[in-house]
Amino acid sequence: MPRKEEIRVDHLNPPISHYTDATRFGDLLFISGCGPLDSEGNLVGGDDVAAQARATLENIGAILDAAGATFADVLKVIVYLTDIGDRAAINPVRQEFFGDERPCSTLIGINELVVPGMKVEIEAIAGIPS
């Protein structure tokens, strides 16, 4: 029977609430919403949504790596944008990280995110290779 395993990546920003970076259950990995934050919780990318998306996906990459997975193993992403019009700006960044792989995806426009100035947050579900 699978057991729940919490995954915390030391060099990522500390959680700002009661959560962990990811939870593994069997061969599934559930990644908490990640934003463009450095190891001290400071916003990365300034006002540039593409730079923020890149920093966010780098953080997700670190979590995937810690779990023994890659972007090719991502099954679904949920992207939160404070300006839905920024979709076109972040799509090329997503392609940099996912390449030809296309996970299922949901895009949600919201009023604000937890860190002032944050324009994008992404959560993901991945399958962990055997």
Side-chain angles (χ1 to χ4, degrees):
M1 183 106 186
R3 299 196 65 162
K4 175 183 158 183
E5 174 192 353
E6 293 182 4
I7 296 173
R8 177 75 187 101
V9 180
D10 290 335
H11 67 275
L12 293 182
N13 62 288
I16 54 179
S17 185
H18 188 69
Y19 67 90
T20 188
D21 294 326
T23 300
R24 179 179 181 166
F25 190 79
D27 62 355
L28 291 176
L29 181 69
F30 300 87
I31 299 175
S32 293
C34 288
L37 305 175
D38 67 15
S39 63
E40 296 176 4
N42 299 309
L43 185 67
V44 175
D47 209 30
D48 181 346
V49 71
Q52 285 195 21
R54 186 169 287 106
T56 298
L57 289 166
E58 287 170 353
N59 288 343
I60 289 173
I63 296 167
L64 288 166
D65 186 57
T70 69
F71 281 96
D73 301 310
V74 174
L75 305 170
K76 179 173 177 65
V77 294
I78 301 173
V79 180
Y80 301 91
L81 288 175
T82 58
D83 180 349
I84 207 79
D86 285 337
R87 182 190 59 79
I90 70 164
N91 272 345
V93 179
R94 287 179 61 167
Q95 291 169 355
E96 287 175 30
F97 286 84
F98 287 99
D100 291 334
E101 300 293 328
R102 294 175 183 246
C104 293
S105 181
T106 300
L107 175 62
I108 301 172
I110 59 170
N111 290 331
E112 62 184 326
L113 291 162
V114 69
V115 174
M118 202 163 116
K119 295 173 173 278
V120 61
E121 183 171 343
I122 301 173
E123 62 181 91
I125 300 170
I128 300 176
S130 299

